[in-house]
Each structure stands twice: as structure tokens, then as C-alpha cells.
Amino acid sequence: MNPALFLSALRRGSRSLLACVLVLLASAALRAQTKDSCLDCHQYLPEPMGVSAETFSQDIHAQKGLTCAACHGGDPNSDDPEKAMSRAAKWKGKIERRQIPELCGSCHSDAAFMKSYNPTLRVDQLQQYKTSVHGKQWAAGDDKVAVCTDCHGVHNLRSPSDSRSSVYPTNIAGTCARCHADAAHMKSYGIPTDQFASYQKSVHYEAMAEGGDLSAPTCSTCHGNHGAAPPGVESVVSVCSTCHVFQAELFEKSPHEAAFAQAGFPGCVTCHSNHEIRHPTDAMIGVGPRTVCVQCHAEGDAGYAAAAGMKARLVELGSELDKSNAILATAEQAGMEVGEAKLEAGKAHDALVKARVTIHAFDMAKLDEDVAPGLKLAKKTYEAGEAALHERTVRRQGLAAALVAIVVVLIGLKLYIGAIERESE
Amino acid sequence: MSLLAALKRWLDERFGWEELTAPLRKKMVPSHRYSYWYFLGGMTLFLFLVQIVTGALLLLYYRPGANEAFESVQFIMTQVHFGWLVRSIHSWSANLLIFMAFAHLFSVLFLRSYRKPRELTWLSGMVLLALMLGFGFTGYLLPWNMLAYFATKVGTAIPGQLPLIGTPTLLFLRGGEEVTGATLNRMFGLHVAILPAIATMLLLLHLALIQWFGMSVPPRIEKEWRQAPASRREMRFFPNFLLRELMAWFVALGALGALAALFPWELGVKADPFASAPAGIKPEWYFLFMFQTLRMIPAKVLGIEGELLGILGFGVLGAAAFLVPFLDRKKPIDTSRWITWAAVLVLVYMVAMTIYGFIAK
């Protein structure tokens, strides 16, 4: 072998060897850094001391590289339990319930620290918690109220965007219900425990649980999460209006706004309830026994007459629309082209939907601004349906006439063929 | 002298009308127990003529383009006098035409009318059938509704599976990678200009060949006639056969009118390329047996793409059908049993797969 080539190969080889050694050293150092000797023992211990490696690996903190020591202190690099759990290693042991909010807040309220993990994460949770009913009770010495771990869990705490998290939108109500639906737990507070059962009957729950709409309201949407508190009478409209903007705007300009305030009625909740907000229907309005209007209005007052009038207008538009849809469906089944009329009927339906929103103005003239054009459209589309069915009849009559003419021609041809064939024979 | 006789004389003096129409008067049609099958070709011709007339009328109002096509058909159906009738007859007639063309093909096959000297008549007929299917495929997209849009998407994707020529074919059919307004425009161009031009020329050739060779007599009848020459029966084409054909055309016209009036061809909902495909999307019934077969073939067969194998299989079957006059080597008077059995097998397969395609989800 050429000595120069040999030396060159040796140099290349020694450089590669050095690179390998460096990689091995670096990985050993990294391993030493993320070592968590706590789990070596605690994964074999029974509850409540035991935490399996698999459980902890699901925890968002573990996934971000934090170890048990981040909360419990101690030295996770030491395999000697005496050293790992020594006061010298700042080992805290079991975290007392009283210490939990402040311990979590020690990181989660530190904007600079949190930025290194998630720059978009809020850092006011502890501050908000202190304003919540939970936080205030806690400050007053009540250990039963919820602290961070009661809602978020511990050791397998997941990101709120993880569908397995206890604070994922579809799981929040169930998490709140763990305490709020527990009559024994809530007994000392003197508040009802039927909120979750009521919420499960609501249109909001239906949208969330059955419709899969993660933006549908759950407990924290109206009450807040870390600052959870019941909205006061005066703020109910503001809470609902975060989604139901038009209804709130109309209500604020309506005669009911001042009347409700004077009577101390909690805005929207007065008619729609709070947790058990059922799908609103036209049956709610009017002067029938099950309507909400008669809770306050009695026969002879102006509101009673207005409620009856508004109900009548909604029913009129609804029934005209039903009639129109039925005739258009019949015409369509008969093969008639009624696409344009169906489009117009869709606009009439939009007018009805808008009218149901305008109801919140409790103003007959305003309601008529939506109902009148809707009625006009519904009548027009009904006429289109009638015209289509009339056209169908005309077509069938035309067909009958044409078939008679064809049969006459066929008979004529048959006779003519017979005649010429007889003639040729 | 009647007006008709005067007109005849006028034409005769100038163009030799009597001489020109002599072959028509002399033309004879064999008369036997299978003669009714002769009407199928004439019925197909009638339906093709209906397509030309109704298609020309639709052209007065139809506007191609993704933004106008659906609305223009809707306008035809609701605003144009008798527009609904013309459009419905065009659609129903298109389907009956393809049905008649297939019936005509199988009648020719079973009666052995394709054999020497009528090979070219068979070949031109096969190309005409392919053109009719082309008319059906290109015309289906023209109303630009949801079903048509997604069926065209599926239909154009199938040849796209072919090796080498797949992608260029797909691009040619769609005018791009997706089914868009460009696809609609080229389907329109093919449907109203290119296919009619080719079909008209081939149809004239097909009719000229029929005129040249006359009607074929089935081998079984020919044998019977040879054994008993006195039993040979013939009918004058003009006017006897033609008047009977005319009766059949009137029946077809009545059927078309009844279908159009009682079951107007629906328009559906305007195509929305961003919408999800409607469930259970299927092509027109005449493509259903192929579509269902392709759906049922496993993803891989002996290491080959199942769909590709299916397409190639139908290609081979089509080529075999095209070459039937050259595959049937028997003398004209003899019958080849295997052709009959093969035709029955293919027919049963097509009918069964079409029915299965309709009921399968």
C-alpha cells in the first residue's frame, strides 16, 4: 500500500473514532440529565405512593422534560434513596393540599419561565383563582374546595387540547360535576347539585356532546375556569351576549330591559333558564299555559296582547312556509323543476329564523319587518308550487291527446298496409 | 294530376327521380319468424334522429360553462315553452337509444348478420355504439349538477389508472387535473361538434352498407329455405317494410312522450366542487356493469393492480367483440355454437352486474 494513502486513511479513521466517542459522551451526559431515579422505586409502590412510568409519561410536564423533582424536590440523579430524598437535595416529600395552588403558581405565574415552554400560555391562573369562589373559600381556610389538581389531575396531567384531558371541552362538565353533583360534598355550601343533570338536557350540551361542537358552551364558558364564579344578575346578559350578540342587542333596547332590572330578574335566564337551556321553540312565546310570557303578563295588560300578537305572526309565517314546502315537495316528487322556488322558500325560512331572533326586541312593528317579507316569499313559492302542479296536469292532458293521435295514426297505417298488401296479392 | 304526381314529374324531369329511387322500390326484405329483429336498427336510427332534433333545440338556450350551464338548463326546464319536453325527451331518448343499440348488437350477433360479406357493417356499427356511449358520457356532465359532476370525476379517473397513457388520457378528458369548467367546455365541444360529425359520417356509411348488401337472412332460415324453396318469403322495403318501421317509430314517439310527461328528467342540485361527494355515486346504467366489476375486483390480483386488470379485461372483451366477424370462421350457412354461448354469457354477465350495481350500496 502507498504509505501516503495509508496515513491519510489513518487520519480519517482517527477523526471518525473521535466523533463517535464525542457522540457517546454527549448521549451519556444527556441521559444523566433526564434520569429520574424516583420512578425506579415509585413505579412499584402501591397507591397513593405509586406512579407508573407509563402514567407519568402521559403527563404534559414529563413530556416537556420535567421530572418528579420539579414539584417534589430531591435529586433524581442519585440512585441512593437517602441522598435523593434528603433535605440537602431540597426534597419536599408529599405536597400538602394547602401548598398546591402556590406550588403550581410558582411556575405557571412566572411569565419568563413559562415562555421557554409555551409562549402563548397565560400566566394569570393563580391570580384568577384567587378571585374565584373556589379561591376565596380556600383563602378563608376551606380545604374542600377545588385546587389545581382537583380539575387538572396529578401525575398524568394532560394538555387541555388532549381529548383525554379532564379539562378538554367535552370533559369539563363531568369534571365540575365530580364535586358539584355530589350532594354529600356540596351539603355544607347550601347550593343545588342538579346543574350537571340540567345541563345535560340543554341545547348547549346537545351541541357539544351530540353535535361534537367544541365551541358550544360548557360550565367554564359562562362561569370562567380559574376565576370560576356564578355570573351576577346584572352580568347574565353580558355572559350570554358573548355568543348571542343580536338577541342581547335587541333585548337591551327592549322594554323588558328596564322592567327586568327593576324587578331584579336575571335577563336571559328569566325566560330561558340557566343550566337547562332547552331548544327554544315558538311554543315558548304567546299566552298559552306553557308560555314564558304568562309568568309575568296577565290578560288585559299590553304585554299580554303583544305576546299573543307576536305568537300569531310567527305561527302564520311558519304555517305558510310549511304549506309552501309541502306543495313544492309534491311538485318535485312529480318530477317538476322547482329549484328556484325552493331557493326562495329557503329565504322565507331565513326570514322566520330572523323573526325568532327579533322577538327579543319585544316590538310588534320590528317583528313585522321580518315576518312580512317572509310571508310574501312563502306565498310566492306556494303559488309556484301550485303552478307546477297545474303544469303537471296540463302535461298529462297533452300526453293523453298525443297518445290518442298516435293510436289513430297507427290504426291508419295498419289499415293502409293491409290495403296495399291485399291489392298486391 | 295530383300535387304529389306533379312534384314527382318535376323532380323526374330534372334529376331522373324514377331512376334514382328505383333501387328503393326494388329493395326486398326477407320475411320470416325473426323479421321483427330487423326493426331494432331502424328504431336506433329513429332515436338518433330524435337526438339530433332535440339536441339542436336545446342548443338554442344551453350555455356551456361552470357558471351558466346549470342555470341555462333550469331556464330551459321552467321558462322556455316546451323546454321541459325537449330536454326530457333528449335525456330519455339518449337512454333508449343506447338500450336499442345494445339490443341491435345482440340481435345481429345471435342472427349471425355480421358474417361475410357484412364485416364492415358490423365494424361501423361497433364504432357507432362506442360513439353513442361517448355521447352519453359527454352529455351527462352538461347540466353541471352534483351527480353528473361526481360521476364524471369517477368516470374520468378510471382511464387515468392505465399505465403510460393513463395520465395523458385523464388530462385530455378533464382539460386539467380536476373536473372544472374546462372539462364541461370540452365535453360540450365533443358532444355537439366532434362526436356528431364522426357519428353522422359513420351512420351514412352503415346505412349505405346495409343498402348495398341488403338484409341478412339467419343461417337457420337460409337452411330451411334451401330445403324448401317454396317457403321463401320476401317483403317490399318500400312501402311495406318502411310503413311497418314507421309504426314502430310512432310507438317509440308515444313512449318517449309518456316518459317525458310522467317522469320528467330531473335536474338535481348545481355542482359544487367543494362539497363532499354524494353517497353511493354511480354512473349511468349503461356503464354500471363495468363500474360494478371494477368495484368488486380485489386491490391486487397476482401482483397486478385490480382496477388496471379490470380495465384491460374490458379492453380485451371490446376488441374481441369488434373482431367477431373475423373470429367466426364458419361458412355463412353454418352456425358457430361457441359465439352464441359467448354472447349469452356476456349478456347475462352485463345484465346481472347492472342489476347488482343498482342494488349494491
Side-chain angles (χ1 to χ4, degrees), chain A residues 332-340 391-392 395-396 399 402-403 405-406 409-411 413-414 416-417 420-421 424, chain B residues 74 77-79 84 235-236 239-240 243-244 246-248 250-251 253-255 257-258 260-262 264 267-268:
Chain A
E332 197 173 31
Q333 273 176 351
M336 305 303 293
E337 170 50 38
V338 286
E340 276 179 69
E391 168 81 9
R392 179 189 62 171
R395 286 181 189 185
R396 289 181 178 182
L399 170 68
L403 289 180
I406 286 173
V409 170
L410 287 174
I411 294 169
L413 278 171
K414 182 77 185 153
Y416 181 65
I417 292 168
I420 58 170
E421 286 185 350
S424 64
Chain B
Q74 198 169 44
M77 296 285 285
T78 55
Q79 307 295 319
W84 65 272
M235 181 194 292
R236 284 167 67 191
N240 304 43
L243 285 174
R244 282 183 168 82
L246 196 64
M247 284 179 73
F250 268 106
V251 171
L253 189 66
L262 298 176
L267 178 58

Side-chain angles (χ1 to χ4, degrees), chain B residues 214-230:
Chain B
M215 298 293 199
S216 152
V217 179
R220 189 176 293 177
I221 301 291
E222 189 65 47
K223 254 185 195 167
E224 287 171 13
W225 283 355
R226 283 193 187 183
Q227 283 160 6

Side-chain angles (χ1 to χ4, degrees), chain B residues 59-71:
Chain B
L59 261 182
L60 299 179
Y61 290 96
Y62 179 77
R63 294 189 302 270
N67 296 325
E68 290 186 303
F70 181 85
E71 285 76 6

Side-chain angles (χ1 to χ4, degrees), chain A residues 105-420:
Chain A
S106 64
C107 292
H108 281 273
S109 299
D110 184 341
F113 179 76
M114 291 309 293
K115 202 180 275 182
S116 63
Y117 290 99
N118 184 352
T120 61
L121 207 65
R122 294 175 64 158
V123 288
D124 62 348
Q125 294 95 333
L126 180 61
Q127 205 183 335
Q128 282 214 19
Y129 176 72
K130 287 176 180 171
T131 68
S132 72
V133 172
H134 295 142
K136 284 176 183 167
Q137 290 282 108
W138 179 258
D142 183 355
D143 285 353
K144 260 169 67 186
V145 290
V147 292
C148 315
T149 50
D150 292 317
C151 300
H152 291 277
V154 64
H155 299 140
N156 64 348
L157 196 156
R158 294 182 167 95
S159 158
S161 59
D162 184 331
S163 62
R164 296 166 299 174
S165 164
S166 52
V167 290
Y168 186 70
T170 52
N171 301 332
I172 287 178
T175 300
C176 298
R178 285 209 299 262
C179 296
H180 282 272
D182 182 344
H185 187 87
M186 300 305 291
K187 196 176 175 185
S188 57
Y189 301 107
I191 57 172
T193 51
D194 63 349
Q195 299 96 328
F196 184 55
S198 299
Y199 172 71
Q200 282 181 309
K201 293 175 195 160
S202 75
V203 67
H204 293 151
Y205 178 80
E206 188 185 315
M208 170 82 76
E210 291 166 29
D213 181 357
L214 297 181
S215 67
T218 180
C219 312
S220 58
T221 318
C222 302
H223 295 281
N225 43 21
H226 301 102
V233 168
E234 66 288 346
S235 59
V236 164
V237 176
S238 308
V239 168
C240 300
S241 73
T242 52
C243 299
H244 301 281
V245 182
F246 297 116
Q247 287 90 336
E249 242 175 50
L250 291 162
F251 178 80
E252 276 169 12
K253 289 176 192 159
S254 79
H256 277 156
E257 212 270 338
F260 276 32
Q262 203 180 358
F265 291 162
C268 317
V269 167
T270 311
C271 301
H272 292 280
S273 171
N274 49 6
H275 301 108
E276 193 180 332
I277 302 168
R278 302 268 186 162
H279 198 286
T281 64
D282 294 346
M284 282 178 74
I285 195 165
V287 291
R290 286 185 187 173
T291 59
V292 291
C293 309
V294 293
Q295 289 172 8
C296 302
H297 295 288
E299 201 165 355
D301 74 37
Y304 189 88
M310 286 189 280
K311 171 67 173 270
R313 292 299 272 166
L314 284 184
V315 168
E316 189 184 0
L317 179 52
S319 64
E320 284 297 328
L321 200 54
D322 288 345
K323 256 171 67 185
S324 164
N325 287 338
I327 200 166
L328 288 177
T330 310
E332 197 173 31
Q333 273 176 351
M336 305 303 293
E337 170 50 38
V338 286
E340 276 179 69
K342 278 177 73 183
L343 206 67
E344 295 282 293
K347 286 182 193 166
H349 181 259
D350 291 346
L352 179 61
V353 171
K354 195 158 173 256
R356 284 170 177 155
V357 173
T358 310
I359 278 288
H360 295 91
F362 306 103
D363 179 341
M364 192 69 180
K366 214 165 179 55
L367 182 71
D368 246 6
E369 285 173 19
D370 296 322
V371 172
L375 275 173
K376 206 172 160 187
L377 279 169
K379 280 179 180 152
K380 192 177 151 195
T381 52
Y382 180 78
E383 282 164 13
E386 271 189 327
L389 289 182
H390 174 70
E391 168 81 9
R392 179 189 62 171
T393 310
V394 170
R395 286 181 189 185
R396 289 181 178 182
Q397 287 165 347
L399 170 68
L403 289 180
V404 167
I406 286 173
V407 168
V408 169
V409 170
L410 287 174
I411 294 169
L413 278 171
K414 182 77 185 153
L415 292 173
Y416 181 65
I417 292 168
I420 58 170

Side-chain angles (χ1 to χ4, degrees), chain A residues 8-20:
Chain A
S8 164
L10 194 66
R11 269 202 296 277
R12 278 204 304 275
S14 56
R15 272 206 296 271
S16 304
L17 189 69
L18 185 66
C20 287

Side-chain angles (χ1 to χ4, degrees), chain B residues 329-341:
Chain B
R329 313 289 297 204
K330 294 263 183 174
K331 286 176 188 165
I333 197 73
D334 295 328
T335 47
S336 325
R337 288 240 170 253
W338 75 269
I339 292 272
T340 308
W341 286 116

